[in-house]
Amino acid sequence: MNAEIMNAGHRACPPLAGVTGRRVLVDGALAAATLCWHDGRIAGRADAARNAPGLWLDAGDLLVLPGIVDLHGDAFERAIMPRPGVTFPYEQALLDVDRQLLANGITTAFHGVTVSWEGGLRSEAYARQMFDCLARMRDALGANHYVHLRFETHHVSGISTALQWIGEGRVQFLALNDHLPAMIKRLDDARKLQQYADRAHCSVDAFRERIMQAMSAAGEVAGAMRQLVAGVRAAGLRVASHDDPDASTRDYYHRLGCDVAEFPLTEAAARTARELGNSLVFGAPNVVRGGSHTHAPDATAMIRAGLCDVLASDYYYPAPLAAVFKLVRDGVLDLPRAWDLVCRNPARAAGRNDCGALDPGTRADLILVDDSRPGLPQVCAAVVGGRLRYANRRLAVHASHPDALVAA
């Protein structure tokens, strides 16, 4: 029996038996292939499960790619607080974010939840709301939602709380951030300070006082970060440092136990990271826009130089998909190698082997992409854990194994 389906919602959609297509990214190349899965994980090529019950998704000429693994994305903050001081319930915001992720091919998202001395949207209280909401809504969300805890280094009073969250399994990745120097430079910038204060839910004068209090903790930072990183590594999680300004800073964080360099601010820092064997993360929006909006290194140039392993959405969920196809169109990388930047490599940087490729044993997380319009790839469907979680067009399905259809 042949049929067509549209996305019927997370709960209503039955598990699929597998997918067949003429352009499937397996073993580092695009080829005709049929994949089957069992209990939400890929079992192998279809001949391993000829009698598997369920529906077979027929991708035809659409690209079948492993779902994007987004190692760093904080655009969810805009769903929670679309304007300064204007907040919406986390449940409503995360449902909207979930739809955005799937529509842009992101099947595994590491949300950059910031905990800082700043307070407000980046306070421990807001982080707890995020943790609690993710736990409550786990069954209602289509993508895999994880937490990338962005810990401000001068928030030394929050170390015990962060370690408690990690022990409870609420955090899956951690990055050390130090935005205090940049804020100090802007103490006389009334407009920028007002933005910071609005996000922190306080007056400009109160925010200045918070900056001064954070500065007073400088002598405690090194010891606190050693304690935090040791606890994170003991829990089996990977640690990144954020915005390394120079080679010596990257070397320091490497020795501390941070083997991921997230958005290095200079080529020297990036080269040191490469020499140390660290994973290098840059922003996909940087590739799409043709450069950094903060005058950081050009991500495309870093890719050409072999100094980038991972592209993350950063602040714009459509960017990873668009960045890959721009790199392919511009002849920087072929599609399989470019796709590694948003899939296999970020999964490995996060220490995960359960996603990032269409290999046996990994989760059956994949997307169908229409690349017929140059420069404007479109995600047509997203499968997460073997179930259809998103579709924007009718999809062909078969109620029996593809080989059986050919034989008939």
Side-chain angles (χ1 to χ4, degrees), residues 340-353:
D340 280 346
L341 297 175
V342 299
C343 198
R344 184 186 296 272
N345 295 353
R348 301 304 174 261
R352 304 196 71 93
N353 295 313

Side-chain angles (χ1 to χ4, degrees), residues 46-64:
D47 55 8
R50 290 182 181 278
N51 298 317
L55 300 173
W56 290 85
L57 182 60
D58 187 349
D61 287 323
L62 297 173
L63 287 167
V64 180

Side-chain angles (χ1 to χ4, degrees), residues 16-335:
L16 298 166
V19 63
T20 185
R22 286 183 278 277
R23 295 193 298 159
V24 183
L25 182 54
V26 287
D27 301 328
L30 291 174
T34 300
L35 302 176
C36 64
W37 45 78
H38 178 69
D39 288 338
R41 291 185 178 271
I42 293 176
R45 298 297 174 93
D47 55 8
R50 290 182 181 278
N51 298 317
L55 300 173
W56 290 85
L57 182 60
D58 187 349
D61 287 323
L62 297 173
L63 287 167
V64 180
L65 305 170
I68 293 171
V69 179
D70 187 20
L71 190 58
H72 175 122
D74 56 27
F76 73 92
E77 288 186 341
R78 290 199 301 275
I80 296 166
M81 187 183 289
R83 291 185 177 179
V86 178
T87 60
F88 283 85
Y90 269 71
E91 287 85 353
Q92 183 174 341
L94 284 177
L95 278 176
D96 177 48
V97 168
D98 189 63
R99 296 185 186 101
Q100 292 182 53
L101 293 171
L102 295 174
N104 288 293
I106 300 171
T107 56
T108 298
F110 287 80
H111 296 298
V113 178
T114 302
V115 176
S116 172
W117 49 264
E118 300 166 63
L121 183 61
R122 296 184 167 182
S123 66
E124 293 177 11
Y126 268 76
R128 287 192 183 93
Q129 288 187 58
M130 182 71 164
F131 295 144
D132 292 343
C133 187
L134 284 174
R136 288 194 305 270
M137 297 184 65
R138 191 71 64 187
D139 292 339
L141 300 174
N144 303 297
H145 292 253
Y146 298 137
V147 170
H148 166 161
L149 187 64
R150 307 178 67 211
F151 193 92
E152 282 290 331
T153 58
H154 286 72
H155 184 46
V156 295
S157 64
I159 295 294
S160 60
T161 299
L163 289 173
Q164 178 184 341
W165 290 339
I166 290 161
E168 294 170 348
R170 293 171 177 254
V171 174
Q172 288 74 40
F173 188 75
L174 185 132
L176 302 183
N177 297 249
D178 184 9
H179 290 110
L180 183 59
M183 290 183 175
I184 292 172
K185 291 179 180 178
R186 290 174 167 173
L187 278 173
D188 295 326
D189 185 340
R191 183 189 65 82
K192 194 62 181 178
L193 277 181
Q194 186 64 61
Q195 291 178 353
Y196 292 148
D198 288 342
R199 187 174 67 191
H201 299 173
C202 67
S203 68
V204 169
D205 288 342
F207 193 78
R208 281 198 180 97
E209 179 60 28
R210 292 181 189 181
I211 289 178
M212 298 306 170
Q213 291 176 354
M215 291 171 63
S216 70
E220 305 172 61
V221 169
M225 293 306 100
R226 284 194 297 270
Q227 179 186 357
L228 178 58
V229 172
V232 174
R233 297 299 295 246
L237 302 184
R238 304 290 294 279
V239 189
S241 62
H242 180 82
D243 284 357
D244 295 336
D246 49 46
S248 61
T249 302
R250 171 84 297 262
D251 182 69
Y252 164 77
Y253 279 116
H254 171 79
R255 287 184 283 107
L256 190 65
C258 304
D259 50 13
V260 179
E262 186 180 63
F263 310 134
L265 295 178
T266 60
E267 183 175 337
R271 289 195 178 280
T272 297
R274 175 58 71 237
E275 291 167 3
L276 293 170
N278 304 147
S279 294
L280 279 151
V281 182
F282 283 95
N286 186 318
V287 172
V288 176
R289 297 179 68 252
S292 168
H293 71 289
T294 61
H295 308 295
D298 180 279
T300 303
M302 294 295 97
I303 293 167
R304 290 184 185 275
L307 297 176
C308 175
D309 303 300
V310 175
L311 289 175
S313 75
D314 197 2
Y315 54 86
Y316 188 59
Y317 291 134
L321 180 72
V324 165
F325 281 86
K326 186 173 187 291
L327 291 170
V328 173
R329 184 188 67 210
D330 294 348
V332 179
L333 295 173
D334 60 21
L335 180 60

Side-chain angles (χ1 to χ4, degrees), residues 339-404:
W339 201 253
D340 280 346
L341 297 175
V342 299
C343 198
R344 184 186 296 272
N345 295 353
R348 301 304 174 261
R352 304 196 71 93
N353 295 313
D354 61 345
C355 57
L358 300 179
D359 296 335
T362 61
R363 288 196 308 254
D365 298 346
L366 55 95
I367 59 175
L368 275 57
V369 176
D370 182 347
D371 62 339
S372 61
R373 296 181 66 181
L376 196 63
Q378 183 179 14
V379 176
C380 304
V383 173
V384 183
R387 291 178 180 266
L388 183 67
R389 301 299 194 179
Y390 167 82
N392 64 12
R393 65 175 65 180
R394 293 193 176 278
L395 302 169
V397 297
H398 308 300
S400 58
H401 189 282
D403 285 354

